[in-house]
Amino acid sequence: MSDMTQASAPGQTPQDSQVSVPQPASQPAATQPATAQPSAQHHAASPQPNASQPNTPQPATLQPATTPRHPRLLPLPARIRRAMSGSWAMLIATLILLATAVIGLIPSFNSQALKQDIVLGTVPAGTDGHIWGTDALGRDVFMLTVAGARTAIAGPVVIAVGAMTIGLVFGLLAAYTGGWVDWLISRVVELMLSLPTLLLAIVLAGLIGGGYWVNVLVFMLLYAPYEIRLVRSAALSHLHAPFLDAARLLELRPARILARHVFPVIRPVVGAAMFLDMSNALVSLSSLSFLGLGISPQAADWGRQLSDARDQLFNNPMTAIAPGIAIIVVSVAMNIVGDWITARADRGER
Amino acid sequence: MKVAKFIGRRLLNLVILLFVLSLVTFGLLYLTNSDPARTLAGAKKVSATQLAAIRHQYHLDEPLWKQYAIWLGNAVHGDFGTSIRTQLPVSQMIGQRTWITLTLALMALAIALLIGLPLGVIAAKRHGTWRDGLITALAVVGLSAPSFAVGLLLLYVFAVKLGWFPVYGLGDGSFADALPHLLLPAITLAVGLFAAVIKVSRASLLEQVESDYTLFAKSRGVPRGTITRWQLRNAALPIMTSSGLLIASLISGTVIVETTFSLGGLGTLLQESVTFKDIPVVQAVTLLLATVICVTTAIIDALYALVDPRLRPSGGHRGSADAPASKEGEA
């Protein structure tokens, strides 16, 4: 886990710029002369506000290589995501995620939110002291929803980081060693990818019945094959790049080549996949909570809240609306950040 | 003989996949408790002799591979034993509920395609405009919003507030009465699907819109309608292949949506049985749903091979430049 966070910290950037410079310089050179002019200003407009984002320092050398590209020549995924990658959406999404994470880290919310008042029972929104009313156990819906931020962010982050760690280990191993190792890993991955993930997760997690963190573990393992495939193909596409030939000529150790030369190049892909994973993981985890599998009935969790809200729709609709909107907003925010990183990576890499 | 080879390989993959699935499903019995006989006895208090009887009845005293063989043999013939919870034959419980899940899934698929395809086409044809932006944004929200959250919000707005739809359940049990009860659940299930349909159809049509042949046809003055027809024909292939992926989310989604709306289909049966640890039912429903998913996906894959001209024996162009149907990133 600490590997991942460290790797995306600014401390690594000088290395990144060193390695990825030959990338944009060599490849797009062929396509650029053919590109038409008119949309250049259209294109230049979007990276600029993004570059002002504090959390992603980008080497200045990348800009000239990317700007003159005609959007029509961009790969399709980038084009689809372009519509969603406007800087305002990204800004709002980042703020939402930061707020959710910060709230999730404050422990005192949890104890306050779980205070029951069975005598009071369900009261509608606007009752004094409870702006969004209470649920069947007399718990304040607003506090409960705020406290639910913790499971909404903790589990998905652990799933994304864990699945990606597995993905990096096996994906890089498969890509770099090739041969029967690659064959075996690819076959196993292919098989696991054909299995219906959510269905299996419901059955496995439900039958094991080990609570929230067991669900997290189940999803981590079920998501890992996607990451292995992703990392493998991303690594393979760079494996014969000149800078890696150079690294091999220097007789660097494979582990060093993978960690310091291959990983920085595939990092944007990895980052994007992790955010998209988090969004999926949030939906999947809360699906399990909604089905009553895993999380304890008392815990503050949006899925669980929605499950309880089914009986309260007439008494206090806020029991459903608050966690429902919360889950949709956070999940969409994770998706937007993931899409935005993908769009950036596509622009910078090819 | 490319087609035969292709289909042969798919078939082999399918067989391996189904084998693994059956192993996983069989293993569920050993997942909950180290002594499966106790699991099968349910919540009842049982004596040692009763446990021994159960063990004998379910062949638990045989070696594992033989247990698996017996279980699989029965399963293939539709015999999954009796439910721990209801003491009814599992196949009977499934038989009573399948039509609900099937109707729900088909309705959702129809809604998703009816809404998703036109929106995807509009987005691709008018790409870069506000309409494209709106549709793409809709797709992103639809893809990331969990169906139970959407379902409860729809339920609140359309059933509680506006009173247009019945709230829970299936009505009096007749098929005609069930349809309106299934409409809101089907719309809920369709939300995630039509978002996926929009994304795929937009992406694959856009590839055609931006292709060289479109540019050429336009510059030669070919009528718009004709160009659109070509584009749609070429875009249909990727849409078809990815619809295989829809089946998985469609069927897994029924579990969530049926629970949300308290419909007594296979999904609720699975959810209840998992909660109750009613293993024979869980095994049966899991194997049934997973097999449907895998087989449908495989059939769609095979159809793709039959439809794709590049996989046909005679016309062997595989180059990317000559055939307009060439798909990017086919590895």
Side-chain angles (χ1 to χ4, degrees):
Chain A
M1 199 196 285
S2 59
D3 273 355
M4 302 289 305
T5 45
Q6 215 192 26
S8 51
Q12 285 263 322
T13 37
Q15 228 247 324
D16 177 42
S17 65
Q18 212 178 52
V19 176
S20 54
V21 159
Q23 211 42 40
S26 63
Q27 269 203 317
T31 52
Q32 262 158 42
T35 58
Q37 298 295 78
S39 57
Q41 93 277 54
H42 187 63
H43 198 57
S46 54
Q48 239 50 291
N50 295 344
S52 63
Q53 282 289 316
N55 53 351
T56 46
Q58 189 72 10
T61 45
L62 286 180
Q63 294 302 348
T66 52
T67 30
R69 293 197 59 178
H70 193 291
R72 292 200 166 195
L73 289 176
L74 276 173
L76 272 171
R79 300 231 44 224
I80 303 162
R81 281 155 188 149
R82 170 77 55 86
M84 285 313 298
S85 68
S87 53
W88 57 270
M90 176 61 192
L91 188 71
I92 297 171
T94 316
L95 287 179
I96 289 171
L97 290 188
L98 278 179
T100 317
V102 169
I103 291 169
L105 286 174
I106 301 174
S108 65
F109 279 125
N110 229 333
S111 50
Q112 277 181 51
L114 295 179
K115 232 177 259 162
Q116 297 183 3
D117 189 349
I118 306 210
V119 185
L120 181 67
T122 314
V123 297
T127 314
D128 53 3
H130 305 288
I131 41 167
W132 290 350
T134 55
D135 69 357
L137 295 173
R139 294 177 297 185
D140 185 80
V141 171
F142 174 73
M143 290 306 292
L144 205 58
T145 309
V146 169
R150 169 177 293 196
T151 51
I153 214 92
V157 167
V158 172
I159 291 175
V161 171
M164 189 48 86
T165 310
I166 301 174
L168 280 171
V169 169
F170 286 98
L172 289 177
L173 185 74
Y176 199 78
T177 43
W180 68 269
V181 177
D182 185 25
W183 184 86
L184 186 71
I185 291 177
S186 300
R187 287 296 85 74
V188 172
V189 163
E190 213 172 88
L191 192 71
M192 284 186 74
L193 286 179
S194 329
L195 296 171
T197 310
L198 183 60
L199 187 69
L200 276 188
I202 291 172
V203 172
L204 290 178
L207 287 184
I208 297 171
Y212 183 72
W213 292 105
V214 172
N215 294 359
V216 167
L217 190 72
V218 167
F219 277 116
M220 198 192 287
L221 295 178
L222 287 174
Y223 279 19
Y226 292 90
E227 312 305 1
I228 297 176
R229 184 177 62 172
L230 180 88
V231 170
R232 178 182 170 272
S233 67
L236 274 183
S237 68
H238 291 293
L239 213 56
H240 298 289
F243 71 94
L244 283 182
D245 286 337
R248 272 190 293 262
L249 274 176
L250 288 170
E251 294 189 338
L252 300 179
R253 278 179 299 114
R256 190 185 151 97
I257 294 181
L258 289 178
R260 310 204 48 179
H261 296 270
V262 178
F263 178 67
V265 186
I266 64 170
R267 210 171 62 195
V269 185
V270 167
M274 281 176 66
F275 274 97
L276 297 179
D277 260 7
M278 270 193 246
S279 169
N280 283 334
L282 171 61
V283 171
S284 309
L285 271 178
S286 23
S287 299
L288 288 195
S289 314
F290 179 77
L291 293 177
L293 310 171
I295 201 132
S296 92
Q298 270 79 40
D301 181 276
W302 294 340
R304 184 77 222 178
Q305 263 181 288
L306 280 166
S307 167
D308 296 337
R310 274 179 297 169
D311 309 325
Q312 304 296 332
L313 270 186
F314 287 97
N315 303 328
N316 180 12
M318 274 319 272
T319 51
I321 296 172
I325 300 279
I327 211 167
I328 293 174
V329 165
V330 171
S331 163
V332 170
M334 287 168 172
N335 238 313
I336 289 176
V337 175
D339 281 350
W340 181 81
I341 298 177
T342 314
R344 252 181 98 87
D346 286 343
R347 249 176 277 159
E349 274 201 3
R350 274 174 228 166
Chain B
M1 285 295 94
K2 259 179 194 160
V3 179
K5 212 174 146 190
F6 183 84
I7 292 182
R9 234 186 45 210
R10 292 287 147 152
L11 207 61
L12 184 70
N13 279 348
L14 180 64
V15 170
I16 297 174
L17 185 64
L18 290 180
F19 172 69
V20 171
L21 262 179
S22 70
L23 276 184
V24 172
T25 317
F26 171 73
L28 292 177
L29 182 57
Y30 285 86
L31 194 67
T32 38
N33 197 326
S34 52
D35 184 2
R38 207 163 275 285
T39 315
L40 289 171
K44 286 176 299 195
K45 267 206 157 148
V46 282
S47 64
T49 46
Q50 278 171 311
L51 271 185
I54 289 174
R55 235 172 243 135
H56 185 71
Q57 187 196 339
Y58 285 90
H59 309 281
L60 295 175
D61 36 13
E62 307 271 6
L64 258 185
W65 66 268
K66 208 166 176 187
Q67 285 181 37
Y68 169 73
I70 293 171
W71 175 82
L72 189 66
N74 288 339
V76 167
H77 291 103
D79 175 14
F80 283 92
T82 45
S83 157
I84 299 169
R85 192 166 50 120
T86 61
Q87 297 298 329
L88 290 170
V90 175
S91 48
Q92 185 191 330
M93 291 173 74
I94 289 180
Q96 287 167 349
R97 293 156 178 259
T98 306
W99 68 273
I100 299 171
T101 305
L102 194 67
T103 317
L104 176 64
L106 289 179
M107 279 170 79
L109 192 63
I111 295 172
L113 291 177
L114 280 178
I115 299 177
L117 282 179
L119 284 182
V121 170
I122 292 173
K125 281 292 206 178
R126 304 262 181 278
H127 61 100
T129 64
W130 64 270
R131 261 173 291 190
D132 181 22
L134 189 71
I135 293 171
T136 314
L138 198 68
V140 170
V141 174
L143 270 183
S144 25
S147 55
F148 53 88
V150 174
L152 279 175
L153 293 179
L154 289 180
L155 203 53
Y156 171 65
V157 174
F158 292 106
V160 176
K161 271 269 153 178
L162 299 171
W164 292 357
F165 292 95
V167 178
Y168 290 127
L170 267 177
D172 58 20
S174 70
F175 187 73
D177 194 44
L179 281 184
H181 282 87
L182 282 174
L183 193 55
L184 204 54
I187 294 172
T188 305
L189 189 52
V191 165
L193 289 179
F194 90 73
V197 173
I198 290 178
K199 255 193 148 163
V200 171
S201 56
R202 181 187 181 278
S204 63
L205 189 61
L206 198 56
E207 200 173 320
Q208 307 305 326
V209 169
E210 297 183 334
S211 66
D212 289 344
Y213 79 85
T214 300
L215 190 65
F216 179 71
K218 265 189 189 159
S219 58
R220 283 296 299 262
V222 176
R224 279 182 90 113
T226 316
I227 301 180
T228 306
R229 221 170 42 240
W230 291 345
Q231 287 170 339
L232 284 178
R233 216 182 114 191
N234 286 327
L237 266 177
I239 297 176
M240 241 180 68
T241 22
S242 51
S243 63
L245 296 173
L246 291 185
I247 303 293
S249 56
L250 177 69
I251 292 179
S252 311
T254 56
V255 181
I256 315 273
V257 171
E258 280 178 18
T259 309
T260 313
F261 290 89
S262 315
L263 306 172
L266 289 180
T268 10
L269 181 63
L270 181 67
Q271 187 260 342
E272 286 163 6
S273 308
V274 165
T275 314
F276 196 84
K277 300 206 190 309
D278 190 349
I279 303 288
V281 182
V282 175
Q283 283 178 322
V285 178
T286 310
L287 199 62
L288 180 67
L289 294 185
T291 308
V292 170
I293 292 174
C294 294
V295 171
T296 330
T297 315
I299 290 175
I300 291 171
D301 260 6
L303 277 182
Y304 171 63
L306 293 177
V307 176
D308 191 343
R310 283 164 301 168
L311 283 162
R312 262 180 223 151
S314 53
H317 17 242
R318 284 191 61 93
S320 54
D322 51 358
S326 67
K327 202 159 78 79
E328 195 191 305
E330 251 248 283

